[in-house]
Amino acid sequence: MKKLRFGMVGGGLGAFIGEVHRHGILLNDLAEMKAGCFSRNYEKSLQTAEVWNIDPGRVYRTYREMAEAESAREDGIDFVVIVTPNSSHYEIAACFMEHGIHVMCDKPLAITTEQAEALQKMAKERDIQFGVSYGYTGYPIIRQAREMIRNGAIGDIVHVRVQHPEDWVIESVSPEQEAGAKLPWRFDPKSVGASLCTGDLGTHGEQLLVQFTGLHVKRVLAMFDTYPKYLPLETNTTVLLDLGGGIHGQLWASQIAIGKPCSAGIYVIGSEGSLEWNHETPSMLRYTKRNGTTEILEAGKGYTYPESSRLCYASVGHHDGFNEAFGSIYRSYCEVLLAKKENRKAKAYRFPTIDDGVDGMRFVEACVKSHTNGNVWVEVKPETIG
């Protein structure tokens, strides 16, 4: 079977998310890593290549050098994985698209909506397949929920509550800070944009809602909190959601939720039942029928939809994990890209696209505007209101 070739920018040795992407891709045996610019430090890039068994001749000092060289090779990479700080996503993605190379970018897509929309326009003009790695949406049971909702298992959606609380800020940052002390890049508006918590975790919640229900956020009313107070951006986000068609919801994202290491979750109420999922039990879906019993559905069982079961890596009772969730996203991304490169019709496999990434940036921007203007309703995507 023909395999795709991919390269990576960022994600060298010691970088958590780079390893997650690499392992996720390798799970499917659909693509091989062939090149990289893993660090701004060339020696570190070479060390990474040695550990990952990459030809040192295809290790580059800069991403621009990598894009130029790989696009000129007959056996050059088919797609690039971008796992660098947020502020560099735009320029790196644009560079590889200019050289005709497909892209998978870690979220968020960029640091402004204008950048995101420019990438979206470029991808469509150049026929580039562009994915955005909202990892939590890759769990097979999320696809089960989407198919159940689509097939009427809970009737009409009435209300949605989504959350993504973590405790990493309050666990890692001192409440007291010396004046002038340098903060990590994740707290720097120049590196992450106008939002910290909403851009980092709120976007996961927004995309979880989209992939789980098929709905999109139309308007937001947001309130931000910042702790410790000396930080320049928010660490806790509370958002009221207008999902159109008279459906409302709530989103809570936090980086100071003590006791919640990573508790993404969603609860959807329908006219005939409800569905609930939490990242702490990622292979299970709680399904309750109106005036009926509650069932715990498990990924990989014979009753799950094919779109869900095809993404399972572990046998029933052995839960898929975070790497596997990324693997599920890459399985769909690679299968669609292989079909594209072989000029055959691809199956309608779902993965977060650049359109989802643009919507995520619009969501963040609208939340920032809502909070800044005194917690008022702000439209997220006016052209789809109604």
Side-chain angles (χ1 to χ4, degrees):
M1 178 180 176
K2 182 180 177 181
K3 293 184 181 181
L4 296 165
R5 298 176 294 270
F6 77 96
M8 184 177 286
V9 179
L13 294 180
F16 163 71
I17 201 63
E19 282 282 16
V20 172
H21 280 263
R22 188 173 73 93
H23 286 301
I25 297 170
L26 297 180
L27 278 169
N28 299 292
D29 208 27
L30 294 173
E32 299 176 308
M33 182 182 282
K34 294 294 186 181
C37 173
F38 307 111
S39 170
R40 284 187 286 263
N41 183 319
Y42 183 58
E43 293 303 316
K44 185 175 180 180
S45 281
L46 289 173
Q47 292 169 9
T48 302
E50 183 176 5
V51 173
W52 291 352
N53 197 30
I54 306 298
D55 179 357
R58 295 178 75 172
V59 178
Y60 301 95
R61 294 181 182 275
T62 69
Y63 69 84
R64 292 189 182 279
E65 178 187 347
M66 177 176 165
E68 291 171 5
E70 289 296 318
S71 64
R73 295 177 65 111
E74 284 191 18
D75 63 347
I77 59 172
D78 297 299
F79 70 95
V80 65
V81 176
I82 302 172
V83 281
T84 59
N86 306 358
S87 59
S88 62
H89 290 180
Y90 169 76
E91 60 184 24
I92 297 172
C95 178
F96 278 90
M97 285 197 289
E98 286 168 358
H99 288 84
I101 296 172
H102 302 281
V103 177
M104 174 63 80
C105 183
D106 201 42
K107 70 86 210 166
L109 177 57
I111 61 171
T112 67
T113 299
E114 289 75 19
Q115 287 183 347
E117 290 175 341
L119 292 177
Q120 181 186 47
K121 181 181 179 184
M122 184 181 298
K124 291 184 176 179
E125 288 176 347
R126 296 172 180 265
D127 195 24
I128 296 292
Q129 181 167 303
F130 198 124
V132 183
S133 57
Y134 293 97
Y136 301 94
T137 69
Y139 286 104
I141 208 70
I142 303 299
R143 297 285 173 255
Q144 174 68 15
R146 177 66 173 271
E147 292 301 302
M148 289 177 69
I149 290 172
R150 196 167 65 86
N151 285 280
I154 62 170
D156 297 326
I157 294 176
V158 175
H159 189 81
V160 180
R161 187 183 71 210
V162 65
Q163 65 176 39
H164 195 124
E166 295 185 3
D167 59 6
W168 71 270
V169 169
I170 205 164
E171 293 286 341
S172 60
V173 179
S174 169
E176 298 178 358
Q177 179 81 0
E178 294 182 12
K182 187 175 181 180
L183 291 166
W185 70 266
R186 286 189 177 277
F187 300 98
D188 183 359
K190 293 180 181 178
S191 295
V192 301
S195 165
L196 176 56
C197 182
T198 315
D200 185 29
L201 303 182
T203 50
H204 275 308
E206 178 267 345
Q207 190 57 204
L208 179 59
L209 184 155
V210 170
Q211 298 295 335
F212 197 99
T213 69
L215 299 174
H216 292 267
V217 180
K218 310 299 185 184
R219 296 190 303 156
V220 297
L221 190 157
M223 181 175 290
F224 294 170
D225 306 294
T226 301
Y227 181 85
K229 292 296 185 183
Y230 63 79
L231 292 176
L233 299 170
E234 89 285 359
T235 54
N236 194 81
T237 304
T238 307
V239 189
L240 295 180
L241 309 171
D242 178 356
L243 302 172
I247 306 169
H248 297 103
Q250 309 156 56
L251 182 148
W252 171 50
S254 181
Q255 297 163 321
I256 56 171
I258 295 173
K260 299 290 185 182
C262 186
S263 300
I266 185 169
Y267 173 49
V268 181
I269 304 170
S271 59
E272 300 298 327
S274 68
L275 288 168
E276 186 172 7
W277 175 84
N278 192 286
H279 185 243
E280 293 175 1
T281 52
S283 294
M284 297 184 180
L285 183 67
R286 184 182 178 93
Y287 172 41
T288 306
K289 297 179 182 178
R290 184 163 62 95
N291 296 323
T293 58
T294 294
E295 301 176 43
I296 303 299
L297 308 182
E298 295 184 64
K301 287 281 194 177
Y303 51 69
T304 57
Y305 285 95
E307 177 63 13
S308 172
S309 59
R310 79 176 189 87
L311 298 178
C312 291
Y313 293 93
S315 59
V316 175
H318 300 84
H319 304 306
D320 288 320
F322 194 53
N323 287 350
E324 287 80 2
F326 273 74
S328 295
I329 291 172
Y330 275 108
R331 177 179 292 184
S332 296
Y333 178 88
C334 289
E335 286 174 340
V336 173
L337 183 55
L338 277 167
K340 183 183 184 72
K341 295 185 75 66
E342 293 169 0
N343 295 314
R344 55 183 172 83
K345 185 175 177 59
K347 293 185 178 180
Y349 292 144
R350 188 182 305 281
F351 59 89
T353 68
I354 192 167
D355 294 339
D356 295 305
V358 170
D359 284 351
M361 291 307 305
R362 288 173 175 164
F363 168 77
V364 173
E365 184 178 81
C367 287
V368 171
K369 186 176 180 180
S370 172
H371 174 76
T372 303
N373 291 344
N375 317 116
V376 297
W377 284 103
V378 173
E379 292 182 342
V380 175
K381 196 175 181 182
E383 66 267 27
T384 64
I385 291 292

